[in-house]
Amino acid sequence: CATPQYIGGEPAASMFERVGRFAVSADIPGEPQQAAQGGFAWQDAGKVLKVDLATPMGATLARVQVQPGHARLTPAEGDEIHAATADALLEQVLGSPVPVAQLRYWLRGQLGPEPAQEVKLDEQKRPESFRQEGWSVVLSRYDTQGPRLLRLSRQEAGRQISVRLVVDASQP
Amino acid sequence: QDAAAQLRHFIENVSAASGEFHQKSADRAPQEGRFAFQRPGKFRWETTHPHEQLIVSDGTTVRQYDPDLAQVTERPANTSLGSSPAAILFGSGRLEDAFTLAALPDDDGLQWLRATPRQADAGFQYLDIGLRKQQPVRLLLRDAFDKTTYIELGGMTLNPSLDDSQFTLQVPADADIVQLR
């Protein structure tokens, strides 16, 4: 049978793909707010995670690739940036942490492996809100693959950090 | 007339326009919406399907509002337009300052040119523009990762009188405003 057309990756049994928009903002009292907003294309093939960040008019700004123990960001222009984890990488680039490792679970509507607190489930027993790894997480607008609206917030050293992801409704 | 001449004519003679756009790329569902611009520097890019997103510039500040994200981002207009795809259609001044223009073969009833940004950090490789009767009809944006976005422009009204409210944004109460670095 025809192999489904994957974007640039070989077909993987557990390929989880999501496309949508993100907004990250960290307001630090007394400092100009740091923020980023744009589109994302998320491809999680288990071992390798690839996330493309794009402008509204479609131009890819940067590509993040994560393997166990290594994360790399390739910007549209300029040199690559490397870090041990994607979380550290994005903190360096966006100025505020983005829990990429956890999002691999949260985007599928699952809790991460670490302990979670104050877990509330919706009527279909899917995680609706909880605290995990220092983040307060609200998941909503579920479809068959997972939540389509993720609102994350974190209070850390006097900074209020907000990460919001919305998954586009109709997939290609 | 070749594409470059048509585009120059468009920039010089169409000081404002409004219309619709249809946007397609490999990894994203097709999007559509409305656009408007008023030279120099005022433009509106309003996605209506499958989600809502509004980008407006009043020539001084570019504001982007996404109701799902409940956030408005603001950044200075001059730094962002520069050699962005929007600059080609909505900007003013000499296109050749920011881009090199090269003719391409006619295709699908349109005359084509390739605009390659002179600035290294423009963030995209080139923008192909297909014109007919001195109007841009189709755009092909090739980004730095060889991803292509196709944009069709249609239903264009030339030189309408556009109210300034088209290029400003009333920030909804529930949205927070964020300055981009």
Side-chain angles (χ1 to χ4, degrees):
Chain A
C1 66
T3 312
Q5 199 268 324
Y6 287 92
I7 305 151
E10 68 304 324
S14 68
M15 174 67 92
F16 176 80
E17 292 188 68
R18 286 299 228 184
V19 168
R21 288 148 289 132
F22 73 92
V24 176
S25 66
D27 52 31
I28 303 149
E31 271 184 45
Q33 201 168 17
Q34 290 159 338
Q37 184 175 8
F40 71 86
W42 179 280
Q43 273 183 6
D44 189 344
K47 214 163 87 58
V48 177
L49 164 67
K50 187 174 84 162
V51 186
D52 281 357
L53 306 175
T55 66
M57 302 260 273
T60 307
L61 288 168
R63 169 163 294 167
V64 176
Q65 282 163 300
V66 186
Q67 272 117 342
H70 178 241
R72 175 182 63 195
L73 182 138
T74 311
E77 307 295 339
D79 332 325
E80 284 188 356
I81 303 171
H82 297 261
T85 68
D87 296 26
L89 191 67
L90 285 183
E91 166 124 32
Q92 208 179 311
V93 171
L94 298 178
S96 66
V98 175
V100 174
Q102 302 298 318
L103 278 168
R104 295 180 86 159
Y105 298 92
W106 298 343
L107 271 166
R108 296 175 195 246
Q110 298 161 6
L111 294 178
E114 292 80 10
Q117 300 83 28
E118 297 156 44
V119 179
K120 261 181 66 200
L121 303 180
D122 67 11
E123 351 49 272
Q124 274 128 29
K125 301 275 177 287
R126 301 170 303 197
E128 190 175 55
S129 67
F130 52 88
R131 290 180 50 75
Q132 191 161 41
E133 291 293 279
W135 290 91
S136 310
V137 180
V138 177
L139 307 179
S140 55
R141 295 193 203 163
Y142 270 84
D143 67 8
T144 53
Q145 289 196 77
R148 284 187 35 249
L149 180 59
L150 298 88
R151 286 169 291 180
L152 324 177
S153 60
R154 183 191 183 95
Q155 187 71 28
E156 181 204 62
R159 312 199 281 179
Q160 175 60 29
I161 297 159
S162 155
V163 175
R164 289 178 203 147
L165 300 167
V166 62
V167 176
D168 288 349
S170 48
Q171 293 307 306
Chain B
Q1 247 188 342
D2 72 10
Q6 290 189 55
L7 185 58
R8 240 176 251 113
H9 181 276
F10 178 71
I11 292 173
E12 277 147 23
N13 295 281
V14 179
S15 63
S18 61
E20 292 142 15
F21 70 85
H22 294 267
Q23 183 174 328
K24 276 204 316 269
S25 51
D27 66 355
R28 206 166 280 275
Q31 298 174 24
E32 59 185 41
R34 287 185 293 274
F35 71 90
F37 68 84
Q38 174 121 35
R39 297 185 212 281
K42 290 183 181 170
F43 73 87
R44 177 187 191 86
W45 192 265
E46 181 183 10
T47 304
T48 51
H49 286 85
H51 54 264
E52 280 178 47
Q53 185 174 57
L54 176 59
I55 306 170
V56 287
S57 170
D58 58 10
T60 317
T61 308
V62 178
R63 289 185 177 83
Q64 183 178 321
Y65 172 55
D66 190 312
D68 286 333
L69 298 171
Q71 184 176 71
V72 173
T73 58
E74 288 182 352
R75 59 179 187 278
N78 43 34
T79 56
S80 60
L81 257 186
S83 51
S84 72
I88 295 179
L89 293 174
F90 313 140
S92 53
R94 282 175 25 79
L95 204 53
E96 288 80 358
D97 297 348
F99 297 90
T100 57
L101 305 181
L104 293 175
D106 285 11
D107 177 34
D108 205 6
L110 305 176
Q111 284 75 50
W112 286 83
L113 65 81
R114 173 159 298 176
T116 306
R118 292 184 192 278
Q119 215 182 335
D121 61 358
F124 64 98
Q125 289 183 52
Y126 57 77
L127 181 74
D128 289 355
I129 305 175
L131 297 106
R132 183 192 312 128
K133 299 203 194 81
Q134 295 159 341
Q135 282 179 34
V137 172
R138 201 171 303 151
L139 310 173
L140 185 154
L141 177 70
R142 186 76 163 171
D143 77 13
F145 294 85
D146 294 333
K147 275 191 176 175
T148 304
T149 300
Y150 300 90
I151 300 175
E152 296 251 348
L153 302 176
M156 231 196 279
T157 308
L158 301 185
N159 295 319
S161 73
L162 291 170
D163 184 64
D164 266 351
S165 62
Q166 282 279 303
F167 308 113
T168 51
L169 169 71
Q170 276 62 37
V171 180
D174 70 340
D176 50 16
I177 306 174
V178 164
Q179 264 68 35
L180 284 190
R181 283 183 296 186

